[in-house]
């Protein structure tokens, strides 16, 4: 068949695709707009977005929610690495129950009509610039830049008071966890318009007792967070394993360094810093906010908020209290609230924590009766008076809120010191020392079968069904009976024992290895039998529990081998508590040498850096705890008499 020239041209054109005009018009059929402009109708506020320039020209993405018709109202800001747009639109509680939402009548912050400001920190989500995890203040050898979260907060507030005419020029800052670290940074050279700061469960000292280490033991379960947070600007990197049980995954991976290599963490600057600084050296000390703020003048009223069962940042708020309260000469600048919560639970519903019932929604009470009047006093133009105690403390056991004039600023109880509770032969525990010669309780700690911190299966931290938020109140009977966990228990109490402060461990122990971890738990044992809540019969509630890595016994900043088979003294503080051991209950102490995989395993052979311990370094060791004689082990309890 002979084709005409016109037919050939037509076929060539078809092969080449539609003409350019047709290609351009295809975009007209896209049903999505290039950029959606959200409407505010029905939400009771006007939403503005600003990319606010910092002193170096970097622009930080900021969402400003202004109640409709507002005039002369205070501004309440939350700076975050967790996506300002998300917090401003979907997160409940203190963050975004904005006027017009279903939760407005439940949220005293919203009811007060504040202008809410949400900002992505430098380098995260829609903000420009570089990102560093909880960086030290500018000018530190570990932050040689000329900016930090304090300068960025100052510059943001300066812009807000000039560009939000609906405000009264008063600004507060509030946030939880990382968002709680940022209100602390705001206290460094604060802007004059900053009138109040509320750090809630703040990240304060990543080595002593918050996210990354506790007394030198690395919190291995936090590796997933590190990957997600630093992997991309959008914080969307997924943690992937072939295991449903973290216990199996971390045990078979080997060292924490091996886990990091398997997940590609060596690409992340913060991971490299962690593995390069396993001891409490200048890297950690210069970033510790309690130490930083201890050197600053006290200019802004602060309410520190602590959770008594904070699974992530249990150390921070009490440490800042100890640093700041001595500066508060008139007792009107530094306040503290402590509730029976997991990390951040004060922003939601809190009538229970795990199996424990508090007989009330403790978080709603706190938000309405403590937080709301505190903020109003500093942010409202008429500065309404507030009836807020210096310390608002929930007393577990008695299950009641207390208004206290003060709280200890030293470890232990009021004025330091406390009452010794002795570990005794035969598993006894009591306030009188054991008689007779030196005796020990022995056990074998084997890194091949470490003691778990949760009943298995230990689901990944952020997996569906994970009990990560409640593990601190899990029933400690889950490890009772293991040969590598030793227990000491009082007789049934006939009188209440009330403690308020920081218990301190005084452990005398030896190990056949050259390094060792020591885990000590102070536990409230519920009555057996048929009285009270039968579902709680015999329950073992951890009141204060923590770990200490033995290589730092002499100096937290320098790792040293432990002398094998020599009884040595170890001293460390347990987390702050405010608890009543009621009549009919018992007090228990458990001692063990692993808490896995919350903390990485100690190989029990001294190596320069445990992150990179080899399989052959992990050896079983015989542990001996002294329970009688002149160096008998004990816990100092901050007993209230």
């Amino acid at each position: 068949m002979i084709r005409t020239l016109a037919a050939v041209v037509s076929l060539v054109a078809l092969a080449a695709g539609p003409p350019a005009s047709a290609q351009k018009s295809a975009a007209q059929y896209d049903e999505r707009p290039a950029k959606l402009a959200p409407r505010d109708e029905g939400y009771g506020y006007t939403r503005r977005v600003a990319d606010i320039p910092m002193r170096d020209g970097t622009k930080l993405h900021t969402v400003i929610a202004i109640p409709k018709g507002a005039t002369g109202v205070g501004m309440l800001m939350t700076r975050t690495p967790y996506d300002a747009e998300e917090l401003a639109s979907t997160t409940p509680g203190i963050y975004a129950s904005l006027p017009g939402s279903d939760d407005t009548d439940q949220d005293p912050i919203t009811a007060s009509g504040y202008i809410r400001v949400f900002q992505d920190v430098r380098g995260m989500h829609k903000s420009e610039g570089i990102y560093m995890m909880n960086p030290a203040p500018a000018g530190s050898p570990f932050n040689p830049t000329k900016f930090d979260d304090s300068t960025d907060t100052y510059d943001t507030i300066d812009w807000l008071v000039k560009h939000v005419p609906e405000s009264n020029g008063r600004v507060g800052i509030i946030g939880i966890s990382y968002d709680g670290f940022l209100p602390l940074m705001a206290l460094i050279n604060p802007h004059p318009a900053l009138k109040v700061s509320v750090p809630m469960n703040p990240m304060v000292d990543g080595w002593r007792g918050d996210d990354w280490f506790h007394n030198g033991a690395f919190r291995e379960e936090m590796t997933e967070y590190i990957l997600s947070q630093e992997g991309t600007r959008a914080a969307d990197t997924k943690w992937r394993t072939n295991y449903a049980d973290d216990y199996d995954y971390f045990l078979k991976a080997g060292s924490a360094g091996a886990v990091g290599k398997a997940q590609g963490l060596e690409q992340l600057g913060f991971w490299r810093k962690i593995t390069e600084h396993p001891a409490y050296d200048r890297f950690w000390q210069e970033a510790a906010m309690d130490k930083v703020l201890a050197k600053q003048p006290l200019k802004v009223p602060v309410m520190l908020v602590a959770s008594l069962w904070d699974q992530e940042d249990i150390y921070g708020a009490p440490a800042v209290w100890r640093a700041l309260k001595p500066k508060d000469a008139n007792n009107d600048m530094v306040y503290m609230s402590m509730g029976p919560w997991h990390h951040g639970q004060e922003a939601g519903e809190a009538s229970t924590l795990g199996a424990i019932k508090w007989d009330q929604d403790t978080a709603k009470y706190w938000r309405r009766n403590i937080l709301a009047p505190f903020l109003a006093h500093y942010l409202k133009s008429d500065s309404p008076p507030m009836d807020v105690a210096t310390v608002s403390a929930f007393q577990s056991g008695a299950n009641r809120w207390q208004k206290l004039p003060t709280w200890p600023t030293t470890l232990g109880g009021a004025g330091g010191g406390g009452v010794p509770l002795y570990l005794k032969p035969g598993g006894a525990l009591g306030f009188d020392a054991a008689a007779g010669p030196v005796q020990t309780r022995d056990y074998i700690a084997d890194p091949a079968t470490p003691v778990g911190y949760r009943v298995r299966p230990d689901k990944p931290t952020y997996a569906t069904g994970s009990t990560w938020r409640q593990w601190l109140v899990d029933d400690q009977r889950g490890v009772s009976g293991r040969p590598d966990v030793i227990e000491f228990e009082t007789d049934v109490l006939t009188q209440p024992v009330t403690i308020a402060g920081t218990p301190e461990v005084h452990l005398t122990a030896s190990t056949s290895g050259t390094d060792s971890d020591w885990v000590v738990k102070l536990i409230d044992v519920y009555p057996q039998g048929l009285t009270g809540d039968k579902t709680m019969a015999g329950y073992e509630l951890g009141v204060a529990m923590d770990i200490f890595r033995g290589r730092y016994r002499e100096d937290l900043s320098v790792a040293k081998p432990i002398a094998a088979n020599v009884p040595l003294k170890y001293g460390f503080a347990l987390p702050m508590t405010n608890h009543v051991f009621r009549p009919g209950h018992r007090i228990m102490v458990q001692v063990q040498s692993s808490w896995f995989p919350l903390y990485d395993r100690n190989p029990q052979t001294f190596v320069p850096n445990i992150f990179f311990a080899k399989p052959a370094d992990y050896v079983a060791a015989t542990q001996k705890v002294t329970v009688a004689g002149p160096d008998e082990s004990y816990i100092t309890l901050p007993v209230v008499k």
Side-chain angles (χ1 to χ4, degrees):
M1 180 182 294
I2 300 175
R3 295 178 177 175
T4 65
L5 179 60
V8 172
V9 171
S10 177
L11 288 172
V12 171
L14 287 172
S21 59
Q23 290 177 337
K24 290 180 180 179
S25 64
Q28 298 174 3
Y29 298 98
D30 190 345
E31 295 180 349
R32 289 175 296 190
K35 184 177 181 181
L36 180 67
R39 297 294 188 260
D40 301 325
E41 186 65 29
Y43 288 94
Y45 67 92
T46 300
R47 181 180 183 275
R48 297 179 190 166
V49 175
D51 292 319
I52 299 177
M54 300 294 104
R55 61 191 62 184
D56 66 333
T58 299
K59 294 180 180 179
L60 302 189
H61 187 71
T62 310
V63 180
I64 306 167
I66 304 172
K68 289 185 178 178
T71 180
V73 299
M75 291 184 281
L76 188 60
M77 175 169 62
T78 296
R79 304 188 66 248
T80 182
Y82 301 130
D83 192 348
E85 294 276 359
E86 183 75 8
L87 290 184
S89 60
T90 63
T91 306
I94 65 159
Y95 284 108
S97 296
L98 296 170
S101 75
D102 293 339
D103 294 331
T104 296
D105 63 341
Q106 303 293 325
D107 179 11
I109 293 179
T110 301
S112 297
Y114 299 119
I115 296 168
R116 288 294 274 123
V117 179
F118 304 89
Q119 183 180 73
D120 289 327
V121 297
R122 184 181 289 257
M124 291 302 295
H125 299 281
K126 294 185 178 181
S127 282
E128 299 175 349
I130 66 167
Y131 178 70
M132 294 183 288
M133 183 94 74
N134 301 105
S140 162
F142 304 101
N143 180 7
T145 71
K146 295 182 179 180
F147 49 81
D148 57 28
D149 287 302
S150 67
T151 64
D152 286 350
T153 303
Y154 189 103
D155 295 348
T156 299
I157 293 175
D158 198 60
W159 187 95
L160 290 171
V161 296
K162 294 174 181 176
H163 293 85
V164 184
E166 296 89 346
S167 83
N168 62 5
R170 299 185 181 195
V171 181
I173 185 168
I174 190 171
I176 298 170
S177 191
Y178 200 131
D179 299 357
F181 156 78
L182 297 164
L184 293 175
M185 287 294 289
L187 301 177
I188 302 173
N189 186 30
H191 193 283
L194 182 64
K195 301 302 181 184
V196 69
S197 173
V198 184
M200 304 165 68
N201 311 110
M203 300 167 74
V204 170
D205 189 324
W207 196 93
R208 290 302 305 272
D210 284 332
D211 285 280
W212 318 122
F213 296 82
H214 273 218
N215 297 313
F218 176 62
R219 290 167 64 84
E220 198 163 27
E221 287 277 34
M222 297 306 295
T223 47
E224 179 179 355
Y225 173 88
I226 294 170
L227 178 63
S228 172
Q229 186 63 22
E230 279 219 335
T232 66
R233 182 178 294 269
D236 57 1
T237 308
K238 300 298 182 183
W239 179 267
R240 302 188 188 281
T241 75
N242 292 323
Y243 294 85
D245 187 338
D246 267 2
Y247 188 100
D248 283 334
Y249 173 69
F250 285 104
L251 185 63
K252 293 180 180 180
S255 67
V259 172
K261 184 175 181 180
Q263 294 287 343
L265 295 182
E266 73 280 356
Q267 302 169 73
L268 310 179
F270 186 65
W271 177 253
R272 294 195 298 271
K273 291 173 183 176
I274 282 181
T275 58
E276 291 166 3
H277 299 278
Y280 195 52
D281 58 15
R282 286 186 63 193
F283 172 76
W284 297 109
Q285 295 177 34
E286 294 195 7
M289 288 307 300
D290 57 328
K291 292 179 172 59
V292 170
L293 293 177
K295 301 174 184 178
Q296 298 287 323
L298 185 60
K299 296 182 178 181
V300 178
V302 180
M303 177 178 282
L304 297 158
V305 183
S307 293
L308 293 169
W309 282 275
D310 188 328
Q311 79 281 4
E312 294 176 16
D313 294 307
I314 202 166
Y315 177 88
V320 176
W321 169 267
R322 293 191 292 268
L324 291 187
K325 193 58 184 177
K327 298 171 175 285
D328 189 5
N330 297 321
N331 196 35
D332 62 354
M333 293 285 283
V334 183
Y335 297 76
M336 183 164 64
S337 296
M338 61 183 81
W341 306 314
H342 63 62
H343 186 74
Q345 192 180 9
E346 62 269 33
E349 201 279 336
S351 57
T352 63
L353 178 54
I356 314 301
K357 305 176 182 69
W358 306 122
D359 307 323
Q360 58 180 287
D361 186 340
T362 59
K364 181 185 290 186
Y365 174 91
W366 175 77
R367 292 195 301 269
R368 286 185 171 177
N369 298 287
I370 299 168
L371 179 61
F374 183 78
L375 290 174
H377 180 70
Y378 294 105
L379 294 181
K380 288 184 175 291
S381 297
D382 58 350
S383 300
M386 63 174 181
D387 180 20
V388 175
T390 302
V391 176
S392 302
F394 190 85
Q395 187 181 59
S396 53
N399 292 1
R400 60 172 184 164
W401 280 100
Q402 297 174 300
K403 293 184 176 182
L404 303 176
T406 189
W407 188 261
T409 54
T410 57
L411 297 180
V419 178
L421 181 66
Y422 293 96
L423 281 57
K424 302 168 75 170
L429 186 68
F431 293 104
D432 56 322
V438 173
Q439 296 185 52
T440 63
R441 284 283 304 277
D442 306 349
Y443 62 96
I444 296 175
D446 188 349
T449 56
V451 182
Y453 81 105
R454 280 191 274 179
V455 175
R456 298 179 63 184
D458 176 6
K459 294 185 178 181
T461 302
Y462 305 110
T464 300
S466 170
T467 58
W468 168 251
R469 290 182 173 181
Q470 68 184 52
W471 68 263
L472 273 172
V473 298
D474 282 351
D475 193 340
Q476 295 304 305
R477 285 179 294 186
V479 297
S480 291
R482 282 188 58 127
D484 49 0
V485 178
I486 55 175
E487 296 181 338
F488 305 84
E489 192 173 35
T490 66
D491 293 333
V492 173
L493 300 176
T494 58
Q495 299 292 329
V497 176
T498 302
I499 58 175
T502 308
E504 294 183 274
V505 173
H506 302 269
L507 189 72
T508 303
S510 68
T511 177
S512 62
T514 51
D515 199 358
S516 180
D517 288 349
W518 304 102
V519 178
V520 177
K521 308 174 185 176
L522 178 65
I523 297 167
D524 185 343
V525 181
Y526 283 56
Q528 297 285 358
L530 302 178
T531 60
D533 184 351
K534 298 177 181 58
T535 64
M536 297 297 292
Y539 198 93
E540 295 180 4
L541 169 65
V543 173
M545 309 185 288
D546 220 333
I547 189 171
F548 185 88
R549 183 142 284 177
R551 59 176 46 210
Y552 301 114
R553 186 185 71 87
E554 296 181 23
D555 187 340
L556 299 181
S557 63
V558 180
K560 296 181 180 180
I562 295 173
N565 300 310
V566 177
L568 299 171
K569 294 183 179 181
Y570 299 87
F572 59 98
L574 297 180
M576 177 182 72
T577 186
N578 188 40
H579 185 73
V580 179
F581 297 92
R582 296 184 297 172
H585 291 228
R586 298 173 185 259
I587 304 175
M588 174 184 282
V589 170
Q590 288 181 347
V591 180
Q592 59 201 53
S593 291
S594 53
W595 219 6
F596 184 77
L598 176 62
Y599 296 96
D600 65 333
R601 295 173 301 150
N602 192 314
Q604 302 181 156
T605 300
F606 182 84
V607 294
N609 190 332
I610 291 178
F611 278 103
F612 305 110
K614 304 300 182 185
D617 297 325
Y618 292 86
V619 298
T622 299
Q623 317 287 71
K624 297 184 177 184
V625 176
T626 301
V627 296
D631 294 323
E632 180 179 357
S633 301
Y634 63 95
I635 296 177
T636 299
L637 295 185
V639 173
V640 177
K641 298 180 179 179

